[in-house]
């Protein structure tokens, strides 16, 4: 397998996994799951914050599958996940979410970290690819 194709497959894998992480949480946000309601109530943005964040995650998840838009999705996802991680770390929500006698065991926080890591890798790859083209393109 050629090196360039191998990197394209790697990028596609990161895009798919990140999109799945974003899209699989939508059911909880849009259905009013007690865990999602708890999180957004703790930060004082229930119900509109939950719905708006859900719509943003849906759009970003879709953009990851569009060849000309995945770079925008990677940047937007990085920003969104920084916000999510900040909410976990700097509010009463916490890393492990405990609501109504239940706990997520830190799963949402871990997924936010994975999505942030993968989207940051994609942003760096996109930037480096662009810089390579600028540096090594023949000029007339």
């Amino acid at each position: 397998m050629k090196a360039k194709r191998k990197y394209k497959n790697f990028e596609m894998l990161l895009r798919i996994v990140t999109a799945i992480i974003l899209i699989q949480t939508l059911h909880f946000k849009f259905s009013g799951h007690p865990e999602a309601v708890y999180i957004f109530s703790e930060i004082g943005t229930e119900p509109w914050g939950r719905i708006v964040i859900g719509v943003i995650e849906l759009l970003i998840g879709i953009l990851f599958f569009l060849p000309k838009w995945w770079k925008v999705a990677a940047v937007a996802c990085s920003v969104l996940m920084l916000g999510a991680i900040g909410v976990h770390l700097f509010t009463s929500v916490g890393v492990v979410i405990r609501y109504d006698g239940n706990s997520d065991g830190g799963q949402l926080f871990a997924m936010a970290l994975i999505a942030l890591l993968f989207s940051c890798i994609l942003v760096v790859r996109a930037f480096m690819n662009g810089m390579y083209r600028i540096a090594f393109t023949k000029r007339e």
Side-chain angles (χ1 to χ4, degrees), residues 9 25 30 33 45 47 68 76 80 94-96 98 102 126 131-132:
N9 290 340
T25 63
F30 291 145
H33 188 273
T45 60
K68 295 188 180 204
L80 190 68
V95 173
V96 177
R98 292 182 176 82
N102 297 314
M131 292 304 293
Y132 176 82

Side-chain angles (χ1 to χ4, degrees), residues 92-109:
S92 61
V93 171
V95 173
V96 177
I97 298 170
R98 292 182 176 82
Y99 65 100
D100 297 336
N102 297 314
S103 171
D104 78 334
Q107 185 177 11
L108 279 177
F109 183 74

Side-chain angles (χ1 to χ4, degrees), residues 7 14 25 28 57 64 82 90-91 97 101 120 130-131 135 140:
Y7 287 122
L14 293 181
T25 63
F28 298 99
E57 286 180 355
F64 269 119
L82 281 172
F90 303 115
T91 69
I97 298 170
C120 285
M131 292 304 293
E140 293 182 29

Side-chain angles (χ1 to χ4, degrees), residues 84-130:
I85 291 167
V87 165
H88 281 278
L89 293 176
F90 303 115
T91 69
S92 61
V93 171
V95 173
V96 177
I97 298 170
R98 292 182 176 82
Y99 65 100
D100 297 336
N102 297 314
S103 171
D104 78 334
Q107 185 177 11
L108 279 177
F109 183 74
M111 288 191 305
L113 283 175
I114 291 167
L116 175 63
L117 174 66
F118 287 4
S119 61
C120 285
I121 290 170
L122 288 167
V123 167
V124 168
R125 296 255 326 126
F127 176 75
M128 295 304 289
N129 190 22

Side-chain angles (χ1 to χ4, degrees), residues 30-42:
F30 291 145
S31 68
H33 188 273
E35 183 178 28
V37 170
Y38 168 78
I39 292 168
F40 286 92
S41 294
E42 284 293 307

